[in-house]
Amino acid sequence: MLAPKPYEPNRSLFAKIERRLTQYRKAAPATVITDRPILSITFDDCPTSAAETGARILEEYGVRGGYYIATGLMGRNSHMGLVSTPDQIAELFAAGHEIGAHSHSHLDCSQAKHDEVMADVERNIELLKEICHTFSVDSFAYPYGETRFDVKKHLAGDFLTLRGILPGINRGMVDRAQLRAFEIDHTQHSFDRAYSALDCLKQTPGWMIIFTHDVAEAPSQHGMTPDQLRRLLDRAQELDIEICTPKVAAERVGFSVS
Ligand SMILES: [Zn+2]
């Protein structure tokens, strides 16, 4: 949820209706096919604590996560602490974590003009390819979770997975261009909701995505603690839930860019 200046969502009635319609209008219908429960743990904006503490904990459990990077914020200070530098992002990638796109300027994709969104995302992709020395960036998360049908439709051709912020487990027919995800922030409620969803995921397999920001003993209002991350991983492994990056998960459940 990081922004260079405090973000003001559009509160007009029209914007609210648009947002609701966008959520239900599938731009890239896809079917999640899996016998096994699958979980992806992701971090938006990548404050250094997510790259250091967060990644170290995931690696202790033998799993990898997804990091969504707004390249324009790299190395800058934020209310979640310093944002990771290109070198730190390259290290994460080299350690097997997935580096996803998040727009260059942390753009509200529901408000900006179509061409502006595409140019900004293109710049983001090119920079990430350079930083990671890779040929493709396969996953995207909408900054603030905000999007629009024309944007979803276009970006579904560029990315295998696109993540929103609406809670829920991805099962059956979903929108590959606006996948559901549980946010964990500083509130106990957000942690409890995601923690108990693991049992639902075990009962009826699908693909569950969690996202947070910083990982610290005293997290920002958008982050979580190291102990909470460990508890989630303990529980997921206890339930024999497979934990993998968004790209690997998408391939497991049968997604492809069409
Ligand atoms: Zn963000």
Side-chain angles (χ1 to χ4, degrees):
M1 300 288 164
L2 181 64
K5 56 183 182 225
Y7 171 64
E8 303 240 341
N10 189 329
R11 294 188 196 283
S12 73
L13 182 61
F14 180 74
K16 278 183 191 158
I17 293 169
E18 272 287 306
R19 221 172 274 151
R20 188 146 288 233
L21 289 176
T22 298
Q23 158 187 347
Y24 291 110
R25 199 169 163 207
K26 292 183 174 65
T31 310
V32 173
I33 301 166
T34 181
D35 299 334
R36 276 201 76 181
I38 300 175
L39 172 68
S40 295
I41 297 179
T42 68
F43 305 87
D44 285 10
D45 307 325
C46 200
T48 52
S49 67
E52 291 166 0
T53 311
R56 195 183 63 238
I57 293 171
L58 292 178
E59 288 164 20
E60 277 169 20
Y61 284 79
V63 300
R64 298 294 183 268
Y67 290 81
Y68 295 99
I69 313 294
T71 35
L73 303 179
M74 292 183 299
R76 286 172 56 174
N77 212 345
S78 81
H79 54 287
M80 302 177 299
L82 269 179
V83 176
S84 297
T85 62
D87 284 348
Q88 287 171 309
I89 291 157
E91 266 177 47
L92 281 174
F93 182 76
H97 297 281
E98 180 176 3
I99 301 301
H102 196 44
S103 84
H104 179 70
S105 58
H106 207 270
L107 196 68
D108 179 339
C109 295
S110 72
Q111 298 296 313
K113 289 199 179 83
H114 184 93
D115 290 351
E116 191 192 339
V117 174
M118 297 317 149
D120 194 273
V121 171
E122 188 56 35
R123 189 170 175 207
N124 185 216
I125 294 172
E126 289 310 314
L127 284 168
L128 290 176
K129 281 183 187 171
E130 238 172 73
I131 291 165
C132 299
H133 303 291
T134 183
F135 296 107
S136 71
V137 177
D138 304 288
S139 297
F140 182 85
Y142 299 103
Y144 319 105
E146 294 286 359
T147 186
R148 209 170 56 210
F149 186 75
D150 62 289
V151 169
K152 293 206 291 184
K153 191 92 192 156
H154 189 124
L155 293 182
D158 294 336
F159 298 101
L160 179 61
T161 84
L162 296 106
R163 208 211 68 215
I165 58 166
L166 302 163
I169 295 172
N170 301 289
R171 286 194 193 107
M173 178 74 87
V174 301
D175 190 356
R176 181 174 63 74
Q178 193 173 17
L179 292 163
R180 290 177 179 269
F182 290 94
E183 175 170 22
I184 298 183
D185 59 20
H186 70 297
T187 62
Q188 185 63 38
H189 159 77
S190 67
F191 175 80
D192 292 345
R193 186 174 62 171
Y195 190 85
S196 58
L198 292 174
D199 284 306
C200 307
L201 176 66
K202 174 65 179 178
Q203 266 166 23
T204 312
W207 176 20
M208 176 171 153
I209 307 172
I210 285 174
F211 78 100
T212 190
H213 293 79
D214 49 316
V215 182
E217 295 297 345
S220 76
Q221 59 171 320
H222 301 301
M224 68 192 292
T225 66
D227 178 59
Q228 286 179 322
L229 181 55
R230 285 201 174 87
R231 283 181 58 199
L232 282 173
L233 289 161
D234 281 336
R235 185 64 181 151
Q237 292 196 334
E238 205 174 282
L239 293 171
D240 197 26
I241 291 170
E242 182 174 352
I243 304 167
C244 55
T245 65
K247 182 193 179 184
V248 171
E251 287 168 350
R252 290 262 202 288
V253 303
F255 286 3
S256 63
V257 177
S258 48

